[in-house]
Amino acid sequence: MSNTGLNAVKPLRVLVVEDSQRMAVSLQKGLSEESYVVAVEHDGISGLKQAVSGEFDLVLLDVNLPRMDGFEFIRELRRKRSDVPVIMLTARDAVDDRIEGLDGGADDYLVKPFAFDELLARMRALLRRPGTRMQPELKFGDVSLDPVMGLALRNGRNLMLSVREFALLRVLLENQNKTLSRTELYDAVWTGSEVGSNLVDVYVNYLRNKLEAHGDRVIHTVRGRGYQLGNQSFV
């Protein structure tokens, strides 16, 4: 399917600066499964160059890095006035090390080994702060979607959406009361490697079933044109 110009869902981008290959792979895999887009650098200088690019929503920063350690990294990053949130990850648990990192400009400090769920919670907390680069909660009637928390609700009940269902609902909410073709929805939610003649229809049906378990139909079929999230039904 061709690119139609509809804005695609853009997951939050995380930069991992970590010299341990094992840790970097583990973080990349875990965060990718949580729908983050993850880039990895293994030394301080390369990581700093990426961090100041403005392309990332959050940085996970190891302290013991080659070429430039994490403390110097954070000082240089803040000197360049970058507003990207930074969580320092380190095996050092001394209070003085934590103070140095936080005083240097880190937003949070997590000592290895740590629980992955705790890391996710700290990331969400930082991304909810005023001034961080995030998209606002989306709403239509009793349906709401929080892009940062990864939470979709109807009548206060968690819809328990898959990654693709969540992305599809997000696109529909961002374009509520507008008819979107199957091509537009496909290009916004899927990649070219995921091929299926009825892929959009299947996932719209999945999403409808979850939404309609807690309320009336809000995703309508516009015959010959596509789908629309709105108040009006079509025949």
Side-chain angles (χ1 to χ4, degrees):
M1 295 190 181
S2 63
N3 187 355
T4 62
L6 182 68
N7 289 333
V9 173
K10 295 181 180 179
L12 295 172
R13 294 175 56 84
V14 177
L15 173 64
V16 175
V17 188
E18 168 65 64
D19 69 330
S20 166
Q21 291 281 349
R22 182 176 179 181
M23 174 64 77
V25 168
S26 177
L27 287 171
Q28 186 170 36
K29 181 176 184 296
L31 292 172
S32 296
E33 290 174 353
E34 295 293 325
S35 301
Y36 292 98
V37 173
V38 185
V40 176
E41 294 291 345
H42 297 290
D43 69 82
I45 291 178
S46 299
L48 181 63
K49 182 178 179 180
Q50 291 288 342
V52 300
S53 69
E55 296 180 2
F56 296 94
D57 299 286
L58 186 140
V59 176
L60 300 180
L61 175 65
D62 186 29
V63 170
N64 296 318
L65 293 168
R67 302 180 71 197
M68 175 187 290
D69 70 20
F71 297 127
E72 184 179 356
F73 179 109
I74 192 65
R75 288 193 297 269
E76 284 297 305
L77 181 62
R78 295 307 183 219
R79 188 180 65 80
K80 297 177 184 298
R81 299 186 177 181
S82 173
D83 61 348
V84 62
V86 176
I87 300 177
M88 297 191 81
L89 308 176
T90 179
R92 302 184 188 183
D93 59 358
V95 173
D96 288 347
D97 287 330
R98 298 187 195 190
I99 291 173
E100 182 177 357
L102 294 169
D103 282 349
D107 297 274
D108 202 352
Y109 200 106
L110 197 54
V111 176
K112 301 174 184 178
F114 51 81
F116 185 66
D117 285 345
E118 181 180 3
L119 173 63
L120 291 176
R122 289 177 183 242
M123 290 171 62
R124 290 194 296 266
L126 281 179
L127 291 166
R128 287 197 300 270
R129 287 184 181 178
T132 54
R133 290 170 293 181
M134 54 178 282
Q135 292 197 357
E137 183 179 14
L138 302 170
K139 290 186 177 182
F140 179 82
D142 56 11
V143 179
S144 63
L145 181 146
D146 187 327
V148 173
M149 294 294 290
L151 190 64
L153 304 174
R154 185 162 200 191
N155 282 321
R157 298 180 182 180
N158 190 344
L159 295 174
M160 303 296 291
L161 301 183
S162 69
V163 171
R164 293 302 180 210
E165 291 164 355
F166 188 91
L168 180 59
L169 179 58
R170 181 172 174 179
V171 172
L172 289 166
L173 283 168
E174 289 175 336
N175 296 275
Q176 52 191 263
N177 294 312
K178 176 182 177 182
T179 300
L180 302 177
S181 70
R182 290 170 176 81
T183 298
E184 287 175 316
L185 289 170
Y186 179 90
D187 288 342
V189 176
W190 284 270
T191 66
S193 62
E194 297 170 282
V195 178
S197 59
N198 65 338
L199 196 61
V200 172
D201 297 326
V202 168
Y203 273 85
V204 166
N205 189 53
Y206 290 159
L207 183 56
R208 272 179 171 163
N209 289 338
K210 292 184 178 181
L211 286 165
E212 291 173 21
H214 306 295
D216 295 333
R217 174 161 293 192
V218 291
I219 300 176
H220 307 289
T221 302
V222 185
R223 289 187 180 178
R225 296 176 59 194
Y227 295 101
Q228 179 184 117
L229 187 147
N231 290 315
Q232 185 178 357
S233 60
F234 297 85
V235 295

